[in-house]
Amino acid sequence: MTATPRQRERVVWRDLAGTAVVLAAVWLATLAVPDAQIAIVSPSLRVALETLRLCVVGLTALVLALPHDQHGSVVRSAFVAALTVIAASSALLGVLPNIVGETTGAFMAPPDPFYPWLASRYVAGALFVSAAVQWPRARMRVYVMVALAAFIALGAALTAIMPPIDDAAGTAMWMVSLELPPLVLFAFGAWLAARHAVADGSALERWLALSLLVGVFTQLQAIRQPDVLGPLVTGTDLLRMISTALLLVGATAQVRQMSRDRVRVMRMQRHELDERDAMVRELARYVSREETFRAVVHHELSTPVATIRAYAHVLGHVDAEDGRWRDALAGLIAEAARLHELIRRIDELRALESADLRCTLRPVRALPLLQDLARYTRALPGPH
């Protein structure tokens, strides 16, 4: 049973409101109790989280890219591009530096990897908004190439222009100003995705809205606990993992929904084919009845016509006083009556097909009926 727009609206906004309440309660609790914040120094855990996030993001992008057709969906294309940027930043700035024991990756060799990491969130947030508004329309590979180019260019520009984060005057306000744009992008994208989920019932956009909502609180947490690409694991990392897991759930739900829709379409097409087959069979039966009718009419007409011609030939070659003249005249009258009866039966058949015939039950003689049946059988095509 398909949910109505009102039911979808109630479910989508209820889930968003419930998630927002839980996340807000946790965030306020960490504000009230600073010691409740997560801060674990563990290089192995950091590498494990980044690797797991990279795998989840890559799997989600793969799930979305597999059913992609030539022109594709704007939602899927922007989604895959955003996930590609997230995977690239996680691999180059999170996994590789920790594996090799450095705080900077090979990517652009930035003096401070915070800005490239921030650039990935800027680009991913813009792509999520693009997926929510379903614009612009472009192929998936175009989205991915433009997104990666924007990630590299923005990361390089921020690294070259901005001062090191530890040397920035008024670091707290500086962090707020840097983290606010992704926060606004995620919040706007969550709102738009929720609206589209209500309008068309898309499972992907429903979970995208939830993921972006978690991304909003991830940005709030990042303001309090800035991203550290070393061995320190914070609550920001856990929230980012939750957001990524929601994306995977949404991609899986979307694929399942597409599979159900495809099965539904195939069933409808099969039903239409069955109806067409029934129509073809009915048409074939009609053609067969028409051919049989023509054969019977030809036989029934050819016999009295031939008889009439024979009697007319007799009348043309005998005198009026000849007894055969009277017999021929009687034969002509009988065959004319037979033709009249045949025409009446044809009219009855036509009335029967148009459902205008009214039958009257009366006793009949069996012998003439059997004779008519024998003539009808002999008129049928094929061996008898």
Side-chain angles (χ1 to χ4, degrees), residues 213-334:
L213 180 61
V214 176
V216 171
F217 284 90
T218 303
Q219 291 302 116
L220 288 175
Q221 184 66 20
I223 294 174
R224 299 182 56 209
Q225 287 182 297
D227 287 318
V228 179
L229 300 180
L232 182 63
V233 178
T234 65
T236 306
D237 299 305
L238 297 181
L239 286 174
R240 191 170 289 118
M241 284 297 303
I242 295 174
S243 177
T244 305
L246 290 175
L247 292 179
L248 178 60
V249 173
T252 306
Q254 181 70 12
V255 171
R256 292 179 59 188
Q257 182 178 355
M258 291 171 59
S259 301
R260 289 194 298 267
D261 293 341
R262 188 170 301 174
V263 170
R264 188 182 305 113
V265 170
M266 292 178 61
R267 288 177 179 174
M268 293 176 60
Q269 292 176 346
R270 182 178 300 174
H271 179 68
E272 292 178 357
L273 289 176
D274 292 340
E275 289 182 346
R276 291 180 182 179
D277 289 342
M279 292 176 60
V280 170
R281 288 193 297 269
E282 183 63 26
L283 182 60
R285 286 194 295 267
Y286 176 79
V287 172
S288 176
R289 288 196 303 266
E290 184 179 5
E291 292 177 351
T292 302
F293 177 75
R294 288 178 179 178
V296 172
V297 169
H298 179 270
H299 174 76
E300 292 294 337
L301 288 178
S302 60
T303 301
V305 168
T307 305
I308 290 174
R309 291 181 62 184
Y311 284 139
H313 180 74
V314 171
L315 290 176
H317 291 80
V318 298
D319 296 332
E321 291 79 7
D322 195 338
R324 289 181 298 173
W325 192 89
R326 292 181 178 276
D327 294 338
L329 182 61
L332 287 174
I333 295 173

Side-chain angles (χ1 to χ4, degrees), residues 150-184:
F151 167 46
I152 296 173
L154 184 58
L158 290 177
T159 303
I161 296 173
M162 298 295 181
I165 194 65
D166 294 335
D167 299 337
T171 301
M173 292 303 299
W174 185 252
M175 289 296 302
V176 171
S177 64
L178 290 176
E179 298 289 355
L180 273 181
L183 186 150
V184 174

Side-chain angles (χ1 to χ4, degrees), residues 44-123:
S44 58
L45 179 59
R46 177 73 184 190
V47 173
L49 285 177
E50 291 294 341
T51 305
L52 178 61
R53 182 166 180 259
L54 176 61
C55 294
V56 172
V57 171
L59 180 60
T60 306
L62 180 61
V63 168
L64 288 175
L66 284 178
H68 183 72
D69 54 18
Q70 182 178 2
H71 299 286
S73 164
V74 177
V75 176
R76 289 206 306 270
S77 299
F79 221 83
V80 171
L83 295 176
T84 303
V85 170
I86 293 174
S89 64
S90 182
L92 297 174
L93 302 172
V95 176
L96 293 181
N98 284 282
I99 290 179
V100 299
E102 299 174 358
T103 58
T104 58
F107 165 68
M108 298 184 298
D112 190 348
F114 171 77
Y115 290 112
W117 192 268
L118 184 66
S120 69
R121 296 203 296 274
Y122 277 60
V123 175

Side-chain angles (χ1 to χ4, degrees), residues 344-345 347-362:
R344 186 187 64 80
R345 291 183 179 182
D347 290 338
E348 287 181 354
L349 288 175
R350 184 177 59 185
L352 180 62
E353 290 186 352
S354 62
D356 293 335
L357 179 66
R358 294 183 180 179
C359 299
T360 302
L361 299 180
R362 58 182 177 84

